[in-house]
Amino acid sequence: MDFHHPFGFEWGDLVAIFALIGVVANFANVTISHKAKDTNRNDFEKLDASIAKLNETMIKVNMVLDSLKADRESTNRRLDKIEETSDRHDIQLARIEEHVMTTREDNQ
């Protein structure tokens, strides 16, 4: 092998070949990078759209939950009033029964 002609090429030819390989590799790298960026951009746009829809849904869910909470609080207040009324009626019934029992004892 001749040191002045490695692989049978002149030094200028070898430099040109390596430069061409470098240009092709750089072009491939740039092309792949642009494709990857475009793909990532599209994926992030889809993700952003999905997140926006999720946020809208969560807002609606929170509104429904707030409405259910208000309904439950109203129902609990009504139930408390009904229990108070029932307790008063139980007391009145006990007084009436006591009165009836004392009246029977007095009549006997």
Side-chain angles (χ1 to χ4, degrees):
M1 179 162 128
D2 185 11
F3 187 70
H4 295 287
H5 299 285
F7 304 109
F9 295 108
E10 294 285 331
W11 282 105
D13 294 338
L14 286 175
V15 170
I17 289 171
F18 284 120
L20 181 62
I21 290 171
V23 167
V24 169
N26 187 35
F27 177 75
N29 184 23
V30 168
T31 303
I32 291 171
S33 294
H34 283 304
K35 290 277 186 187
K37 286 179 185 177
D38 290 342
T39 301
N40 283 341
R41 186 176 300 120
N42 290 337
D43 290 344
F44 278 116
E45 287 173 357
K46 289 178 186 175
L47 183 61
D48 285 342
S50 296
I51 289 173
K53 289 179 184 177
L54 179 63
N55 283 338
E56 290 175 13
T57 303
M58 290 306 297
I59 289 169
K60 291 177 183 176
V61 167
N62 284 335
M63 289 171 47
V64 169
L65 287 175
D66 289 342
S67 173
L68 288 174
K69 181 180 176 185
D71 288 347
R72 182 172 179 183
E73 289 173 354
S74 172
T75 302
N76 284 341
R77 283 193 302 272
R78 287 178 32 220
L79 183 61
D80 289 342
K81 287 179 183 179
I82 290 171
E83 286 176 349
E84 288 173 10
T85 304
S86 174
D87 290 343
R88 278 186 304 208
H89 287 166
D90 286 344
I91 292 170
Q92 287 177 351
L93 182 60
R95 286 180 183 161
I96 291 171
E97 286 176 349
E98 181 182 343
H99 178 70
V100 168
M101 295 300 272
T102 28
T103 306
R104 279 187 188 170
E105 289 175 1
D106 289 342
N107 288 337
Q108 290 179 350

